[in-house]
């Protein structure tokens, strides 16, 4: 696995964790921010052929 792929997958995992915490805390604005970030990261992964577990 190259550095780009590893970094991207780590950012996705981190964002997923941040999203879970935002949901648990009831912070609707932060939920929207994290969902948008996750969508962007997943789109970037798809554009570069990086497999992301759903």
């Amino acid at each position: 696995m190259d550095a780009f792929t590893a970094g991207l997958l780590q950012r996705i995992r981190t964002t997923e964790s941040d999203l879970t915490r935002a949901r648990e805390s009831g912070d609707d604005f932060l939920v929207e921010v994290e969902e948008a970030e996750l969508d962007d990261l997943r789109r970037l992964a798809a554009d570069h052929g990086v497999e992301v577990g759903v």
Side-chain angles (χ1 to χ4, degrees):
M1 180 179 309
D2 63 23
F4 172 79
T5 301
L8 182 56
L9 293 174
Q10 179 59 47
R11 286 182 62 197
I12 289 171
R13 284 190 297 271
T14 299
T15 304
E16 288 171 337
S17 294
D18 293 345
L19 176 57
T20 298
R21 281 193 297 280
R23 286 179 174 151
E24 289 171 351
S25 72
D27 187 335
D28 294 335
F29 175 74
L30 188 55
V31 167
E32 288 184 31
V33 169
E34 296 299 345
E35 285 176 338
E37 177 72 9
L38 194 53
D39 288 344
D40 289 344
L41 291 169
R42 287 181 174 159
R43 186 173 26 260
L44 183 61
D47 289 348
H48 290 276
V50 176
E51 295 276 332
V52 177
V54 177

